């Protein structure tokens, strides 16, 4: 069967059937008395949009026909009745559930059903006919595009097709993990009679994330199955589920009524007395006092939960604190109105009638409307929230691919609008939340970890360097200074930051906080201090203290956390000195903290066998969960590139990202994955296979193989210093404020010859450095200075060809070739270049070059 592309932005590439299914003219699923027929649609890669199903005929023996539609990115998740979900963590910006149950009325006429929520990323779609003695004919199925893809305005390619595939999949991931302003649909429906909430993520009121004892009053009316609300909610809390069909009320401690990454703990179930009518509007009173919570329905006591000690997983507020939230299990739909929250003295903390007059406030207060700003998100299908630690990676990937600066800036604005009075800066935020106005303490859901807050500072510096947006730096610099002061408050007598557990989470939440003096926090603090030094020039800060603080911190880190014998940076001062945290060890190298050590390459490089690198080794309990992390491996690839181990860097990249790029893998998504198991499969069913923090190659390949990056804000001055790794050609094209940069590198490493062909836009300057072990042997007239290890080009929008040749012995890293030539008399120039210059120098500059060459190679 062929599905017309005009009807859908995405369509299945193949399918498999089970039961009585006819695919000769459409898809006709038929059931007898007991058999359930189904189709598994495979889209070939992860797609997203508004799912729809169009039928040409529906037949039953009476009543509607039930069809379950299940979604999954992962192949394993496809086998489960819940798909690869549900997802309950931080956001209402996607469908929490990966299964939708739809009821089709018998009809012989065409009918199209669009599901109410977007599915943002899934490769597989499983359609199951549940009703007996029925049939359904599907003529169209697919996803309606929500927005056109962002164009890939910056490009990279090279002579290695595997790397090209990895880069393209990464650029696609960047786009799928970017949201435009207004892209997200409203999760709640506000009407004249109340707010309709379908079973979804439990969304907390942002004003109440610090509430303690409280009384919550509202009215609810069930439309299907039941109603659900929570107290003490930020991400986790205490959730009540009222099922009117069973006339029961159940309580759960956690993120939802069912387990996932974090467990859900049943806290009781109660029958609703027959005297309580559930047929119309029901008044609900929930009282949270101390360690107990009680529920009354229509004035009748129904439930009491005692001995609560709920520890919020976000924000660091006290136990048994948090907000009121509404959501629900799948297939729950209810209306709510007349919400009022009071303290124990009867003072009103919050009120909202949940009707049209309060629509804008309702959607903003519960972060269930559209997203006000463009932004970046961690995963396309799950969470869909802004994280400082993810922006640290994805911002750079954006600048080398889609150049969507508005998305990076929107993320910066949203996160930095959240800051506590003592200076802790927001580093996690649902994209649907409004900018925090700063009139009171911000919601605690905006705070995940101090390392992420510090990485956000570096991400802001990166945004400024690539965009030249001085105004953005000026707008937030004071807040960044407050964060630096906040962090300094945790410095102990050794000069190390020792943050309390609520601040010391990192990228791997299953491991919990990093106790003691976390190396990740201290290295990120060092990186942030250096970023502050650079950004100080924008705001005119004279003699900024950050550089001196950074040097003291570096000394303290080396004295207390660096194991020189093993060549390792410890995870913290309380973890083994020989334990390896892949990202921490690599980050200490890229920031320049870790000294040169002969063990660095072997520690960070891909394993000697064909296995994948583990993120943690010899650190209990972290190493018990065998996780292969593209996020952590990206740090390692950059560290190898930074130490000029180009081939080792590409081997590690090919090992980790090559798994994801394999189109024959049933888990191939056309994107970069969040995490893997050692066997190369997704770590869990709900693992994101389109994840922003894993897009390192989009940045690393042009940055290091091309060697191209800005050295002054807005690319007014930039650098080209390639790391050679056995490739014959490298092509990079970048759109910068001044125009288009074009870079072509052609190398014959066996012959020791090559060319760097460069277009430098007018108004910019480019410093071109010979790769390690090579020298520049010719140049064009537009050079304003001549050097044999580096050249400076003044932009004229013309292509310049720079010839390079390999030296017989490595030339040490220095722009002063005279000093280097005095250290070695064994450097030789290739014969073809001697012939080029001897007797053929037709202008003064070439004569000058030739004389220098003769002097050098004499």
């Amino acid at each position: 069967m062929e599905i017309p592309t005009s009807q859908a932005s995405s369509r299945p590439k193949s399918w498999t059937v089970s039961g009585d299914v006819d695919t000769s003219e459409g898809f006709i699923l038929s059931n007898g008395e007991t058999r359930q027929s189904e189709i598994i649609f495979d889209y070939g890669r992860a797609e997203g949009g508004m799912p729809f199903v169009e039928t040409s005929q529906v037949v039953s023996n009476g009543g509607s026909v039930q069809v379950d539609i299940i979604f999954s990115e992962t192949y394993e998740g496809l086998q489960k009745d819940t798909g690869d979900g549900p997802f309950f963590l931080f956001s209402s910006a996607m469908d929490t559930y990966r299964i939708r149950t739809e009821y089709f009325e018998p009809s012989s006429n065409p009918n199209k059903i669009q599901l109410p929520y977007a599915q943002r990323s899934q490769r597989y779609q499983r359609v199951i006919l549940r009703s007996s003695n029925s049939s359904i004919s599907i003529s169209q199925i697919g996803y309606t595009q929500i927005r056109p893809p962002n164009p890939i305005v910056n490009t990279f390619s090279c002579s290695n097709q595997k790397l090209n595939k990895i880069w393209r999949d990464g650029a696609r991931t960047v786009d799928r993990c970017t949201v435009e302003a207004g892209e997200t649909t409203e999760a709640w429906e506000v009407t004249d009679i109340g707010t309709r909430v379908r079973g979804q993520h439990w969304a907390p009121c942002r004003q109440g994330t610090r509430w303690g004892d409280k009384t919550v009053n509202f009215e609810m009316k069930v439309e299907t199955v039941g109603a659900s609300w929570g107290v003490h909610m930020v991400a986790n809390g205490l959730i009540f589920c009222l099922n009117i069909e069973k006339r029961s009320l159940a309580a759960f401690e956690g993120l939802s009524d069912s387990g996932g990454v974090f467990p859900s703990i049943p806290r009781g179930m109660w029958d609703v007395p027959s005297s309580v009518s559930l047929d119309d509007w029901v008044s609900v009173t929930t009282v949270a006092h101390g360690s107990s919570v009680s529920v009354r329905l229509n004035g009748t006591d129904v439930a009491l939960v005692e001995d609560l000690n709920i520890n919020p997983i976000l924000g660091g507020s006290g136990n048994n604190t948090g907000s009121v939230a509404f959501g629900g299990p799948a297939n729950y739909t209810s209306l709510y109105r007349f919400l009022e929250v009071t303290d124990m003295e009867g003072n009103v903390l919050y009120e909202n009638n949940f009707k049209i007059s309060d629509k804008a406030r309702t959607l903003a207060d519960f972060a269930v409307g559209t997203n006000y700003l463009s932004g970046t998100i961690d995963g396309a299908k799950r969470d869909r929230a802004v994280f400082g630690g993810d922006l640290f990676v994805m911002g750079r990937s954006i600048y080398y691919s889609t150049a969507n600066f508005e998305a990076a800036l929107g993320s910066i604005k949203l996160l930095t609008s959240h800051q506590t009075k003592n200076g802790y800066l927001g580093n996690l935020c649902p994209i649907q939340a409004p900018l925090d106005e700063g009139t009171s303490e911000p919601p605690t859901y905006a705070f995940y970890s101090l390392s992420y807050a510090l990485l956000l500072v570096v991400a802001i510096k990166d945004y400024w360097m690539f965009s030249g947006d001085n105004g953005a730096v000026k707008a937030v610099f004071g807040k960044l200074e407050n964060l630096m002061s906040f962090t300094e408050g945790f410095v102990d007598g050794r000069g190390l930051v020792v943050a309390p557990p609520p601040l010391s989470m990192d990228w791997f939440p299953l491991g919990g906080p990093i106790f003691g003096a976390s190396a990740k926090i201290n290295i990120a603090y060092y990186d942030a201090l250096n970023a502050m030094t650079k950004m100080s020039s924008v705001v005119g800060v004279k003699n900024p203290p950050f550089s001196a603080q950074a040097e003291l911190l570096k000394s303290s880190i080396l004295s207390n956390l660096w194991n020189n014998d093993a060549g390792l940076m410890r995870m913290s001062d309380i973890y083994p000195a020989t334990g390896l945290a892949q990202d921490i060890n690599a980050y200490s190298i890229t920031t320049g903290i870790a000294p040169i050590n002969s063990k660095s390459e072997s520690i960070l490089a891909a394993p000697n066998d064909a296995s994948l690198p583990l993120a943690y080794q010899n650190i209990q309990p972290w190493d018990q969960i065998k996780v292969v992390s593209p996020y952590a491996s990206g740090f390692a690839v950059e560290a190898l590139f930074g130490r000029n181990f180009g081939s080792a860097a590409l081997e590690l990249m090919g090992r980790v990202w090559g798994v994801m790029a394999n189109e024959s893998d049933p888990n191939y998504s056309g994107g970069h994955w969040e995490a893997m198991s050692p066997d190369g499969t997704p770590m869990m069913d709900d693992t994101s296979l389109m994840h922003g923090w894993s897009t390192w190659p989009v940045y690393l390949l042009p940055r290091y193989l091309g060697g191209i990056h800005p050295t002054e804000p807005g690319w007014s001055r930039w650098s080209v210093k390639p790391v050679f790794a056995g490739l014959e050609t490298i092509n990079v094209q970048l759109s910068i404020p001044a125009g288009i940069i074009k870079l072509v590198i052609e190398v014959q490493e066996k012959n020791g010859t090559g060319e760097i062909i460069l277009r430098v836009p007018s108004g910019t300057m480019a410093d071109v450095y010979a790769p390690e072990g090579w020298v520049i042997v010719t140049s064009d007239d537009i050079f304003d200075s001549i050097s044999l290890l580096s050249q400076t080009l003044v932009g004229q929008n013309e292509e310049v060809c720079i010839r390079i040749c390999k030296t017989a012995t490595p030339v040490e890293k220095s722009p002063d070739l005279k000093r280097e030539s005095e250290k070695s008399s064994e450097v030789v120039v290739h014969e073809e270049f001697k012939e080029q210059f001897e007797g053929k120098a037709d202008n003064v500059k070439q004569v000058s070059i030739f004389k220098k060459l003769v002097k050098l190679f004499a």
Side-chain angles (χ1 to χ4, degrees), residues 309-589:
N309 190 30
I310 300 173
N311 178 35
I313 64 174
L314 291 178
S317 288
N319 287 7
N320 294 339
T321 64
S323 193
V324 58
F326 296 93
N331 301 318
Y332 274 39
T333 305
S334 291
L335 287 164
Y336 300 88
R337 69 184 184 186
F338 303 144
L339 172 64
E340 181 185 70
V341 184
T342 60
D343 63 18
M344 292 297 100
E345 287 73 43
N347 300 308
V348 175
L349 299 173
Y350 181 82
E351 57 184 348
N352 189 323
N353 67 23
F354 270 16
K355 296 184 179 182
I356 287 292
S357 59
D358 272 341
K359 177 178 179 178
R361 190 162 67 93
T362 297
L363 298 179
D365 288 354
F366 288 83
V368 291
T370 191
N371 53 300
Y372 302 89
L373 299 167
S374 298
T376 60
I377 54 175
D378 58 330
K381 78 173 181 183
R382 198 206 67 221
D383 301 357
R384 293 185 67 83
V386 183
F387 286 84
D390 296 61
L391 182 63
F392 172 79
V393 177
M394 192 176 157
R396 298 170 180 178
S397 301
I398 284 174
Y399 311 142
Y400 283 99
S401 57
T402 62
N404 192 331
F405 287 96
E406 284 301 313
L409 180 59
S411 298
I412 291 168
K413 287 180 176 179
L414 183 58
L415 291 175
T416 57
S417 76
H418 296 76
Q419 186 168 45
T420 63
K421 287 183 171 58
N422 58 9
Y424 188 19
L425 195 64
N427 51 89
L428 158 63
C429 197
I431 56 175
Q432 295 147 291
L435 293 173
D436 190 73
E437 297 176 354
T439 56
S440 60
E441 287 287 80
T444 60
Y445 58 57
F447 303 95
Y448 173 68
S449 81
L450 181 56
S451 64
Y452 271 29
L454 294 166
L455 291 175
L456 174 60
V457 178
V458 182
I460 293 170
K461 180 265 297 179
D462 289 340
Y463 167 78
W464 170 59
M465 290 295 294
F466 282 86
S467 69
D469 186 353
N470 290 339
V473 174
K474 292 177 181 178
V476 301
F477 193 82
K479 294 183 176 184
L480 305 188
E481 287 182 305
N482 291 338
L483 174 64
M484 298 297 103
S485 298
F486 173 76
T487 308
E488 189 69 17
F490 296 106
V491 173
D492 67 4
R494 300 170 296 174
L496 294 177
V497 178
V498 183
L503 276 68
S504 59
M505 295 290 288
D506 199 27
W507 65 269
F508 192 56
L510 295 181
I514 301 177
F515 294 99
S518 161
K520 186 62 169 292
I521 289 177
N522 279 276
I523 297 169
Y525 185 35
Y526 175 81
D527 204 3
L529 287 168
N530 285 328
M532 291 294 290
T533 298
K534 194 166 187 66
M535 289 187 288
S536 293
S537 61
V538 176
V539 294
V541 175
K542 296 181 179 180
N543 301 316
F546 311 115
S547 181
Q549 288 176 289
E551 288 308 304
L552 290 173
L553 178 61
K554 178 179 179 179
S555 177
S556 298
I557 292 172
L558 289 174
S559 298
N560 294 280
L561 299 176
W562 174 249
N563 179 350
N564 195 60
D565 291 337
L568 285 171
M569 187 67 69
R570 299 173 66 177
M571 189 173 185
S572 86
D573 58 341
I574 67 171
Y575 290 100
T578 55
L580 171 64
Q582 188 185 27
D583 62 315
I584 290 172
N585 201 60
Y587 195 21
S588 70
I589 292 174

Side-chain angles (χ1 to χ4, degrees), residues 167-335:
W167 192 90
R168 290 194 302 270
D169 284 354
R172 183 170 185 262
T173 307
V174 167
D175 177 45
R176 299 298 301 280
C177 293
T178 300
V179 291
E180 304 301 324
E183 178 180 323
T184 305
T185 55
E186 297 170 359
W188 292 2
E189 182 184 354
V190 184
T191 75
D192 288 333
I193 60 173
T195 293
R196 180 173 289 108
V197 179
R198 296 179 176 87
Q200 281 291 289
H201 166 260
W202 280 262
C205 177
R206 64 190 308 273
Q207 278 82 356
T209 57
R210 290 179 170 81
W211 289 336
D213 293 349
K214 53 193 167 287
T215 298
V216 179
N217 288 291
F218 59 87
E219 293 183 3
M220 64 86 185
K221 183 178 181 180
V222 175
E223 293 186 332
T224 61
V225 186
S228 185
W229 66 96
V231 292
H232 298 329
M233 292 288 292
V234 180
N236 61 317
L238 183 67
I239 291 170
F240 292 96
C241 295
L242 173 65
N243 187 312
I244 65 168
E245 297 173 357
K246 299 178 179 179
R247 292 190 63 86
S248 66
L249 181 68
F252 304 89
E253 182 181 333
L255 286 82
S256 69
D257 64 320
S258 60
V261 175
F262 296 92
S264 180
I265 305 170
R267 294 306 304 260
M269 181 174 287
W270 304 266
D271 293 330
V272 178
S274 59
S275 59
V276 178
S277 173
L278 302 177
D279 295 334
D280 203 352
W281 288 98
V282 179
S283 66
V284 181
T285 299
T286 306
V287 180
H289 183 65
S291 61
S292 68
V293 175
S294 62
V295 176
R296 293 196 302 272
L297 301 179
N298 284 344
T300 299
D301 292 332
V302 174
L304 175 65
V305 183
E306 297 183 294
D307 301 322
L308 289 172
N309 190 30
I310 300 173
N311 178 35
I313 64 174
L314 291 178
S317 288
N319 287 7
N320 294 339
T321 64
S323 193
V324 58
F326 296 93
N331 301 318
Y332 274 39
T333 305
S334 291
L335 287 164

Side-chain angles (χ1 to χ4, degrees), residues 66 75 341 426 570 647 706:
Q66 179 183 339
Y75 185 76
V341 184
R570 299 173 66 177
S647 296

Side-chain angles (χ1 to χ4, degrees), residues 39 58 256 322 556 573 615 619 704 767 792 838:
I39 307 175
V58 179
S256 69
S556 298
D573 58 341
I619 309 175
Y704 287 97
D767 297 307
T792 298
E838 288 177 351

